Amino acid sequence: KMNSKKQPLAPFDLPPDTVVLVVDDNAMNRSILKRMLTQFKLAHVEAANGQEAVDIMLSSRNYTSNAAAPEVALVLMDLSMPVMDGYQATSTIRRYPVFANLPIVALTAATIEEGKQHALEVGVTEYRTKPIKRDMLHSLCQQYLPNPSSGNDTREIV
């Protein structure tokens, strides 16, 4: 008989001030993503719309060099939100050269091809359709987060 218990996924070993930014106007979606990130031992910050996401990025260590601010290593960006949507937020974040290589993964309920094309045009790194499963989120994190223990940090040193 197959063991139906979920295999534990390897936790990440990032500095405690390195975070994943979760951007979604739906509190339940943010909560689900945060719970999974916590299981992976990843710190996170959250934004309820694109404007909050831009504000967080512009106060992050990535941008300010402020040692007390968190370093955002990955953005999980919902595309359909009030105030400022994920397309506009991504486009705004990409205007700053320091964010050129920041992985921004679009998470959306929409499966329309134009939406995907538009998202890639404004600068999302990858486009994924909700619901986001735990294994998929883990592999996205593995793909985009620096992994100090294995030395495969692909970020460029400027």
Side-chain angles (χ1 to χ4, degrees):
K1 188 174 160 167
M2 287 271 299
N3 182 354
S4 63
K5 196 166 171 4
K6 280 185 188 167
Q7 286 301 308
L9 294 167
F12 291 84
D13 178 24
L14 291 179
D17 53 354
T18 300
V19 302
V20 176
L21 172 56
V22 176
V23 190
D24 199 311
D25 59 317
N26 181 314
M28 180 61 81
N29 288 345
R30 287 198 311 271
S31 165
I32 291 166
L33 287 168
K34 287 177 346 190
R35 190 165 59 237
M36 290 192 279
L37 291 168
T38 300
Q39 287 176 355
F40 307 157
K41 307 266 187 283
L42 289 171
H44 43 266
V45 288
E46 58 181 305
N49 61 60
Q51 184 60 60
E52 284 182 18
V54 169
D55 293 345
I56 287 168
M57 292 312 306
L58 294 180
S59 63
S60 70
R61 182 158 21 120
N62 313 50
Y63 186 70
T64 63
S65 305
N66 172 2
E71 170 98 20
V72 178
L74 171 64
V75 180
L76 302 175
M77 179 78 75
D78 181 31
L79 292 176
S80 165
M81 296 178 287
V83 186
M84 181 189 283
D85 67 22
Y87 299 104
Q88 205 182 337
T90 299
S91 171
T92 303
I93 289 166
R94 290 290 188 224
R95 279 188 211 134
Y96 298 87
V98 69
F99 299 132
N101 298 321
L102 175 73
I104 300 177
V105 177
L107 306 180
T108 179
T111 52
I112 49 170
E113 200 51 46
E114 305 91 85
K116 179 176 183 174
Q117 195 50 50
H118 182 42
L120 295 168
E121 282 164 12
V122 298
V124 305
T125 313
E126 193 167 332
Y127 183 96
R128 291 299 180 99
T129 310
K130 294 175 184 172
I132 302 300
K133 298 277 189 268
R134 185 168 154 267
D135 293 3
M136 187 217 279
L137 182 62
H138 191 270
S139 67
L140 280 171
C141 291
Q142 267 184 322
Q143 186 177 344
Y144 291 115
L145 292 172
N147 187 342
S149 52
S150 74
N152 70 348
D153 188 343
T154 55
R155 293 178 305 174
E156 289 175 37
I157 291 146
V158 182

